[in-house]
Amino acid sequence: MMGNLKPLEIVLIIAVVLLLFGAKKLPDMARSLGKSARILKSEAKAMKKDDEPATTTDAAADQAAQQPAAARTIQASPGDVTSSRPVSEAKPTTQS
């Protein structure tokens, strides 16, 4: 459907969007859409990584066990520390 649009129709659609939302809100909307896409992409990669079987050797597993686990943080964009947030992961509980 997008291949059938002529240049005049595209300009008309852009003009309607500008009238509806205003020129001031469009950059903010695009920025938030980009942040959402980045977060979705990083979460999808993390889910794929979690599904992969562990192929580490015993020495690498021992070395990884000795190092403390760092908290994962989703980064929105470089320099934008207000929108980054820590990810809470399920911690194993031990009952005695």
Side-chain angles (χ1 to χ4, degrees):
M1 181 174 170
M2 289 297 290
N4 300 0
L5 293 178
K6 297 178 180 124
L8 182 60
E9 294 170 343
I10 294 173
V11 169
L12 184 64
I13 291 171
I14 291 172
V16 169
V17 169
L18 277 172
L19 286 173
L20 286 175
F21 297 108
K24 292 182 181 179
K25 288 188 180 182
L26 287 178
D28 293 333
M29 290 172 51
R31 192 173 300 115
S32 65
L33 183 64
K35 285 180 183 180
S36 299
R38 235 175 290 142
I39 290 171
L40 180 66
K41 185 178 177 181
S42 68
E43 288 297 320
K45 281 183 180 179
M47 288 176 66
K48 284 182 182 179
K49 189 176 180 181
D50 289 344
D51 289 342
E52 292 177 359
T55 58
T56 60
T57 60
D58 291 335
D62 291 339
Q63 203 174 38
Q66 292 174 355
Q67 297 175 348
R72 287 180 29 207
T73 302
I74 297 174
Q75 296 289 331
S77 63
D80 185 15
V81 295
T82 59
S83 59
S84 62
R85 59 182 172 83
V87 178
S88 59
E89 295 180 354
K91 295 181 181 177
T93 58
T94 56
Q95 296 177 348
S96 298

